[in-house]
Amino acid sequence: MNFEKTILITGGAGFIGSHVVRLFVNKYPGYHIVNLDKLTYAGNLENLADVEEKMNYSFEKGDITNQDFIRSLFQKYQFDGVVHLAAESHVDRSITNPLEFIEANIIGTVNLLNAARDAWKGQETGKRFYHISTDEVYGSLGEEGFFVETTAYDPRSPYSASKASSDHLVRAYHHTYNLPVVISNCSNNYGPNQFPEKLIPLVINNIKHNKPLPIYGDGKYTRDWLWVIDHAEAIDLIYHEGRVGETYNIGGNNERKNIELVQTLCDIMDAQLGRPVGQSRTLITYVKDRPGHDRRYAIDATKLKNELGWQPSISPEEGLKLTAEWYLANETWLNNVTSGAYQKYYEKQYA
Ligand code: NAD
Ligand code: DAU
């Protein structure tokens, strides 16, 4: 089949990546979407069961840290663009095992940059290398203020330091080699298919099983929550209309202290499970804090709104309700990902 464009999406079997793959495959039948994923514990092809038979979709299992494999993939498909999401993404795991994060997030990104640079040399027009990053690179805020695109980087966990490093390298390849890059830095995502090591799905799963809901420290740490499908739509817009060499912040305009968020989830789950009001809140348990825990993240997404017209589409109340419903309706998915290795991780992390 002759396609208009061939786009590589890395990390497409993960949480955000699977929503991006689904959006691109369905919205752009003239594009060939190639999903490259190593299928780590966080990658799950079940997330993409509804698109796997589509003519414009291909899956490649592989590791972005493998230079030869990445180069051969660029030769095989002659990509016009890259949307790079593959990464080790969980802060707690980066504290236990930083090296994995350095390898996947830094070396992996450099391998992709090198392959794109070589493949597109002298033919950069119309090509695009889109790097998906995080608001955590900006560090931690106090009670006031917001991260803007020009906020100085101040990463404070091995995860955020590895992402910051990859952002710097992406910009360096633009300035040094004229690689047509664009970067976005996004706040905390939530929604269907998120691995239950992250706060929201972990809490939903534990409420369901009447297990303690672990709140790190005093519970007043604040995050800015964004519905994952809104993030995927922002990625689509930035990929197609973002200016080369620019950075765009993406946020939910939806700040919550962790304890407030968990209380809201308890109330939603009580209603959905037919439990008496207040029952799930009794599961809330304060536990040892995360080392180096960033106090507050909050994104100012004005640039994206003004330049490209993007804003979040649904209210947080609606999004959290939809998320709880999805996890309750997808018990097999949840059981599959929480068996085996995850059990061991959980016992160690929350011992
Ligand atoms: P995730 O952990 O759910 O998925 C990551 C995917 O990358 C998995 O499918 C995994 O198998 C794959 N992967 C990991 N290492 C790989 C390797 N070496 N080679 C090939 N594939 C590999 O992560 P996510 O939450 O979907 O995050 C996706 C991206 O978005 C990451 O770059 C992350 O830093 C960024 N981000 C995430 C959030 C969030 O709230 N989850 C917010 C902002 C930015
Ligand atoms: O801000 C964007 C980032 O959001 C992404 O770059 C990361 O990939 C993503 O994992 C997420 O990082 P956080 O560390 O903010 O997310 P997490 O869900 O792990 O934690 C959210 C908050 O909840 C944080 O303040 C830590 C706290 N927490 C987390 C867990 C897992 C708890 O209190 N208890 C828990 O058991």
Side-chain angles (χ1 to χ4, degrees), residues 89 134-136 159 188 199 214 216 223 258 290 293 350:
S89 70
T134 170
D135 60 0
E136 300 201 9
Y159 163 70
N188 287 61
L199 182 68
Y216 294 164
R223 298 291 183 265
N258 291 338
R290 170 185 282 175
H293 199 168
Y350 296 99

Side-chain angles (χ1 to χ4, degrees), residues 11-17 36-44 62-65 84-89 104 132-135 159 163 186-189 194-195 197-198 231:
F15 167 47
I16 303 171
L36 159 63
D37 200 295
K38 183 181 172 182
L39 300 181
T40 67
Y41 77 93
N44 185 351
D63 190 334
I64 55 170
T65 67
H84 175 37
L85 296 110
E88 288 293 337
S89 70
I132 309 298
S133 192
T134 170
D135 60 0
Y159 163 70
K163 291 296 290 187
C186 187
S187 64
N188 287 61
N189 286 220
Q194 187 169 30
F195 194 82
E197 65 189 350
K198 308 279 167 65
H231 187 192

Side-chain angles (χ1 to χ4, degrees), residues 219-267:
K220 293 183 183 154
Y221 294 86
T222 302
R223 298 291 183 265
D224 171 6
W225 294 95
L226 175 69
W227 176 239
V228 64
I229 295 164
D230 282 337
H231 187 192
E233 278 165 6
I235 289 173
D236 175 22
L237 205 56
I238 293 168
Y239 179 81
H240 288 96
E241 293 175 32
R243 285 182 293 135
V244 168
E246 291 290 319
T247 295
Y248 295 88
N249 277 355
I250 313 173
N253 196 18
N254 176 29
E255 280 185 60
R256 291 281 193 285
K257 290 194 169 48
N258 291 338
I259 185 64
E260 294 164 1
L261 177 87
V262 170
Q263 285 167 342
T264 305
L265 276 173
C266 287
D267 299 345

Side-chain angles (χ1 to χ4, degrees), residues 118-320:
D118 289 349
W120 300 342
K121 207 175 280 172
Q123 301 166 41
E124 287 87 1
T125 310
K127 306 290 195 302
R128 179 149 294 208
F129 189 104
Y130 182 3
H131 177 63
I132 309 298
S133 192
T134 170
D135 60 0
E136 300 201 9
V137 298
Y138 298 124
S140 181
L141 291 165
E143 295 286 307
E144 309 254 301
F146 295 88
F147 297 132
V148 291
E149 287 79 358
T150 50
T151 301
Y153 275 30
D154 182 23
R156 293 145 48 96
S157 73
Y159 163 70
S160 55
S162 69
K163 291 296 290 187
S165 172
S166 62
D167 292 11
H168 289 318
L169 286 158
V170 171
R171 285 193 190 99
Y173 273 62
H174 174 59
H175 291 290
T176 311
Y177 307 115
N178 203 26
L179 194 73
V181 310
V182 65
I183 299 179
S184 59
N185 294 80
C186 187
S187 64
N188 287 61
N189 286 220
Y190 72 97
N193 304 103
Q194 187 169 30
F195 194 82
E197 65 189 350
K198 308 279 167 65
L199 182 68
I200 289 181
L202 184 146
V203 161
I204 291 173
N205 191 33
N206 283 14
I207 291 175
K208 197 175 132 198
H209 293 102
N210 274 307
K211 282 172 65 175
L213 312 179
I215 307 289
Y216 294 164
D218 66 1
K220 293 183 183 154
Y221 294 86
T222 302
R223 298 291 183 265
D224 171 6
W225 294 95
L226 175 69
W227 176 239
V228 64
I229 295 164
D230 282 337
H231 187 192
E233 278 165 6
I235 289 173
D236 175 22
L237 205 56
I238 293 168
Y239 179 81
H240 288 96
E241 293 175 32
R243 285 182 293 135
V244 168
E246 291 290 319
T247 295
Y248 295 88
N249 277 355
I250 313 173
N253 196 18
N254 176 29
E255 280 185 60
R256 291 281 193 285
K257 290 194 169 48
N258 291 338
I259 185 64
E260 294 164 1
L261 177 87
V262 170
Q263 285 167 342
T264 305
L265 276 173
C266 287
D267 299 345
I268 290 172
M269 288 291 285
D270 281 346
Q272 294 194 3
L273 293 167
R275 290 183 184 169
V277 177
Q279 182 170 313
S280 297
R281 286 188 183 215
T282 63
L283 297 170
I284 290 173
T285 308
Y286 288 89
V287 301
K288 191 159 75 68
D289 210 348
R290 170 185 282 175
H293 199 168
D294 287 337
R295 192 63 171 168
R296 175 172 165 256
Y297 304 143
I299 280 275
D300 178 344
T302 308
K303 177 176 173 180
L304 183 57
K305 187 176 176 208
N306 288 349
E307 275 193 28
L308 303 183
W310 177 90
Q311 54 188 354
S313 73
I314 63 171
S315 72
E317 286 66 29
E318 210 180 334
L320 288 173

